[in-house]
Structures are given as C-alpha cells and as structure tokens.
Amino acid sequence: MDTRNPRRTMLDIPSRVRVHVETLLAAQNAMGVCDAFQQYAPVGKPDAMNAPHPPKVAGIDPTVPTPAHTVAPTPPAADAGAAQDPAPVPAPHTPAPGALLQDRLAGWVSDLTTLHELTERLSRTSALEPALHELLRAGAALVGARRGLVALEPGDGLGPRTTLGLGLGRADLGHIETVPRGALPYDTNTATEIVHPDLPAEEGLDPRHREVAARLGYAASYALPLATDTAGRLGAAVWLYDEPAEPHERQRHLVGLYVRHATEHLARLVEVERTRACVATISEELLPTRLPRVPGVQLAARRRTGPRGGGDWYDALPLPDAALGLSVGSVTGSGPSAVAAMGRLRASLRAYAVMEGEDPVAVLSDLELLLRLTEPARSATALFAYCEPALRKVTLAGAGHSPPLLIGERRTEFAETSVSAPLGMLACWEAPSVEIQAEAGETVLLYTDGLLHRTGDPTDRAFARLHAAAASIPRALRHDPGAVTDHVLRTVLPDGLDAAHSEEDVVLLAARFD
C-alpha cells in the first residue's frame, strides 16, 4: 500500500473488495450487525479526495484491536555503550488515516463473507438434525474449538428434545449428562453466555463436572443460549476447548450473530418436526394397533411413512364364518388431507367388508361409489382379499393395485389379477375377482406401490427386484411372516432406503397359512 500519497488510499481498494461491500453488507444488514464507520474517520478537515463522506456501512463490531501491520513501530532502545549524544531518533511513522480505514474495512468484509457463507449453508438444511450438526460445525469454526454439543429443549415443553455432539460419541454425551444440571457447562434456561476459561484451575467447580472434564479431555468451554424474542427458548450450544482458552471479543460477536440467525432457522424446523410427528401419530392411530388372531393363519404388517404423511393403509378384519378380510390401499396425495381421506376410506371399507366381504368385487364397487360421490377430486388404489383359512383359499379383487405375491417352498410368483383402473377414475368401476389356492406353509404378501417406487427403478425392474427378494428368503425365515416382510424390505430397499425420508409410503401385509 502506498502511504506517501494519502489521496490514493481509498482509490486502491481492489474491485473484489468493492463488490463484497456492495453485496454482502446489504445482505447481512438484517442480521443485526452494527454500523461502524464514523469512529475511524480522520481528525480534522480532510480534502475531498481523501474523505468522500461515505454513507454508513453495516459492519462487524468496530471495537476491534488494531491490525498488527498498522501499529507504529517502537523505537529501538539506546545501547549502553553508545556515546553520550546519540544521533537523533526519527519520529515514528504514523500510517495515513485512509490506510487504517482500509485495513478495518477489509476485516469487516472478511467477517461478513464468512457469516454469509455459514448462514447460507445453514439455510440449505431442511431437517432438524442436519441443521443442529451444521450449527455445531460453524460455531466451532468461529470460536476456534474442536468439539461441542447442542441440547435442544424447547421452552414450551412440546418437544422435540434431543442432544447431539460434535467430536463426542454417545458415551461421551452420557458422561456429560451425569453432571448435575446446575453445574453443566451450559444452561438451557438462561439467556446469557456461560464461559469457563480454565476448568482445572476454577475454584468452586462441581466435583462431578471436574471429573467428567478430565475424563473427556476438555479444559474450557463456551456456551450460548439458543433463544430470541421471536423464536423463544430452544436450548443451548456449548463448544469445548482442549486447553484453557476462551473466544476473544471479535469471535464472540461473530458467533453471537450466527447463533441468533441459527435460532430463528431452528425454530422453523422445530415447528415442521412437530407437524410431521402429529401427522405420523394420527396416521398410526388410524391403522390397526394390533393384528387379529385367526386360527389357521399368521399375520404381520410393516409400514414406513413419508415425512409429510401419506395415505397408504392396511387392514385385517375378522369376518363371520371364521373368515378373514385383508386390504391394502393408497390414497393420492400426502399430508393431513390425505391421511384424513385414508381414514375415511379404510373405515368405509371395513363396513362394506362386514356386509358383503365374501364378494370382493361388491366391496370395491361400493367403495368406488362412495369415493366418487364424496371426494370427486381424489382417487385411490385398493386391494381386498376374502380369506378362508380352513380351506387356504383367497378370493381377491383389485382396483389399480399391484398383484399380491405368493411365496412358498416350491414357488414364488405373482397372482394373476385382472387389470383395472383406480377407484374414482371411471364412472362405474367393476372388475372380476380371482381365486388363489395356497398350500400349507405358503405366504400371501400384499403391498402398496410405494415399495416399488422407492427403488427408483422402472416398473418392470422394480417387480423383478421384488420377486428376487421374495425368492431369496432363507428357509429358516419362511415360517415367520414378520421375518418375511423384514427380509423383503431390506432386500428391495437396501442401504436404509426403507427408513429414509421419502415422499412414498410403504405398506406390506403378509398372511402365512398353516
């Protein structure tokens, strides 16, 4: 930097810095950063070129230490053996006011760039757990720590409650939770920071806290509350240092800005998580809490619900004459409206099954008429099976639904069902029923299309994958319908796809005949 010409000081700011000032400062203004420019204005009456009276710039806290390369050098001490009249020492060089201002402006732009990048990464998270992990990683980078944890405990008591760690295993978190609540390195009920700069030397520290800190190898901690006026109190985050340390003023300011922004983002995700939990609970309550026990047949069911809640269902209903009605189906759409429609449709199907279950075509015809009259804008697929366990006979009809799979020692094949449109798609639905004669020890597997859709494969390849999964069931598992459904899920949807968040619900209902 050329300090000999003060008129060139502000003109030497690179274009990259000017772009950041124009974009990032405005973008971060809403985060609460303070105005800072006038404090470092030159004393006296500057000329027009050196002090153009710029408007206020949103920057990081201006009360920061002066950069090292702008501090005036200290004159060297006189040598003891020097002459009595040493040469005059030149006056220390004073940097131009514009140079100091340029250095500080570059620091503010760097801080704003960092905050912008970190908040952008946080905003891209759409689920609560990834957002909490991102908060810990970003906070550790800002305060210079290596480990930390976040305790999520919403003040309204409605949950969700969880504790996640950065560089801490589940056992480590368990050790920390053994510390008495009032002696923890964080407090979810306070609105102020908690600093322990030197735990080994701290007097009055709880003995259990001292023991846990020594066991886990951290010597200092810095905690911030996750609380704002609009979001309320959500919990606290704490970062742990391996050696005695504490963040300096500039680090505290930056991490404080970031945590306030993160708290607002977490509050929105908490509400989403609560909504998902409510929808999932309602959806589960609309389905059978346990399957009936009917002589001659064993039942098992598995269900995986998407994050927004879907309209897939299953049902098993004891019928007169020791018969059994089985049904699976799917309502179009997702969310609370689809869940409610699923509940209404399943309840109606149960009523029709009691009245005329021995005729599956009549049951689905009545269901189609109800759907068309009450919810003309919605469609659904369904499959209803009338089982006679004593005869190992199954009579079924389907409406736009995938065919069931017959699994036995000597065969693994899809049942031949007629092709028909989903319910609500035609003015009058009717399709012929088919009969399946099962052998002793064979299992009839009913499922919804979500099992095929979650694979991401074309339909023919998904059916082939399902058939191969059923054919590969070990002989030792074939006597247990629950083990059969679990094996099919793990094989058709490997790598956790059966448990991963997906828009598609998955339902499997297995009936093994003795």
Side-chain angles (χ1 to χ4, degrees), residues 361-453:
V361 172
V363 172
L364 293 185
S365 295
D366 293 340
L367 194 64
E368 196 278 337
L369 178 61
L370 175 70
L371 185 66
R372 180 158 44 90
L373 293 178
T374 59
E375 301 185 62
R378 195 182 295 277
S379 64
T381 64
L383 187 146
F384 178 75
Y386 180 79
C387 304
E388 300 173 81
L391 302 176
R392 293 194 292 273
K393 178 182 175 182
V394 180
T395 305
L396 59 89
H401 208 82
S402 299
L405 190 59
L406 192 60
I407 306 170
E409 292 288 343
R410 295 184 296 178
R411 60 175 176 172
T412 300
E413 60 187 26
F414 291 101
E416 293 292 339
T417 57
S418 58
V419 178
S420 64
L423 301 174
M425 299 295 289
L426 299 178
C428 180
W429 177 90
E430 185 171 343
S433 61
V434 297
E435 290 187 0
I436 299 175
Q437 187 63 52
E439 297 180 4
E442 289 189 330
T443 299
V444 177
L445 181 65
L446 312 181
Y447 53 93
T448 58
D449 293 342
L451 178 65
L452 307 175
H453 294 163

Side-chain angles (χ1 to χ4, degrees), residues 184-188 190 192-196 221-225 236-238:
L184 284 168
Y186 62 90
D187 188 354
T188 58
T190 187
T192 58
E193 64 180 16
I194 299 178
V195 186
H196 293 284
S221 65
Y222 178 69
L224 283 177
V238 58

Side-chain angles (χ1 to χ4, degrees), residues 106-400:
W108 298 334
V109 170
S110 175
D111 291 340
L112 288 171
T113 302
T114 301
L115 284 177
H116 177 73
E117 293 175 353
L118 294 179
T119 54
E120 280 291 312
R121 288 172 53 182
L122 179 67
S123 299
R124 286 194 291 267
T125 58
S126 57
L128 188 57
E129 185 172 337
L132 293 174
H133 283 297
E134 180 61 32
L135 164 67
L136 285 176
R137 286 192 293 267
L142 289 174
V143 301
R146 189 172 60 88
R147 294 179 292 173
L149 66 93
V150 57
L152 189 67
E153 298 180 7
D156 55 13
L158 300 179
R161 296 167 61 95
T162 186
T163 302
L164 296 177
L166 172 68
L168 298 172
R170 183 59 58 183
D172 299 332
L173 296 177
H175 284 304
I176 293 176
E177 290 175 353
T178 63
V179 177
R181 191 169 183 85
L184 284 168
Y186 62 90
D187 188 354
T188 58
N189 296 318
T190 187
T192 58
E193 64 180 16
I194 299 178
V195 186
H196 293 284
D198 191 351
L199 288 170
E202 185 173 332
E203 297 182 0
L205 188 67
D206 183 86
R208 180 56 184 167
H209 188 186
R210 191 184 304 277
E211 178 184 349
V212 169
R215 176 188 291 268
L216 300 184
Y218 67 88
S221 65
Y222 178 69
L224 283 177
L226 302 177
T228 63
D229 294 338
T230 55
R233 179 168 49 83
L234 298 182
V238 58
W239 292 275
L240 308 177
Y241 296 89
D242 297 340
E243 302 292 339
E246 63 178 302
H248 54 68
E249 193 63 31
R250 189 168 196 156
Q251 289 175 319
R252 293 186 184 186
H253 184 68
L254 288 174
V255 75
L257 294 174
Y258 177 80
V259 168
R260 284 199 295 272
H261 173 81
T263 302
E264 298 291 340
H265 182 65
L266 291 175
R268 293 189 289 270
L269 295 181
V270 165
E271 289 300 321
V272 172
E273 192 70 21
R274 289 175 177 174
T275 302
R276 289 175 177 173
C278 289
V279 172
T281 301
I282 294 173
S283 179
E284 292 296 333
E285 292 297 324
L286 290 174
L287 296 175
T289 55
R290 61 182 179 179
L291 297 173
R293 293 184 178 181
V294 178
V297 65
Q298 302 176 50
L299 301 174
R302 298 292 185 268
R303 185 170 187 263
R304 300 292 185 266
T305 306
R308 296 192 299 171
D312 287 19
W313 85 83
Y314 67 91
D315 203 355
L317 178 66
L319 297 175
D321 302 325
L324 176 68
L326 302 177
S327 69
V328 294
S330 176
V331 176
T332 56
S334 60
S337 63
V339 172
M342 177 268 288
R344 292 191 295 268
L345 212 60
R346 172 180 168 269
S348 301
L349 190 147
R350 290 173 68 92
Y352 298 145
V354 170
M355 293 186 294
E356 46 193 5
E358 67 280 357
D359 186 359
V361 172
V363 172
L364 293 185
S365 295
D366 293 340
L367 194 64
E368 196 278 337
L369 178 61
L370 175 70
L371 185 66
R372 180 158 44 90
L373 293 178
T374 59
E375 301 185 62
R378 195 182 295 277
S379 64
T381 64
L383 187 146
F384 178 75
Y386 180 79
C387 304
E388 300 173 81
L391 302 176
R392 293 194 292 273
K393 178 182 175 182
V394 180
T395 305
L396 59 89

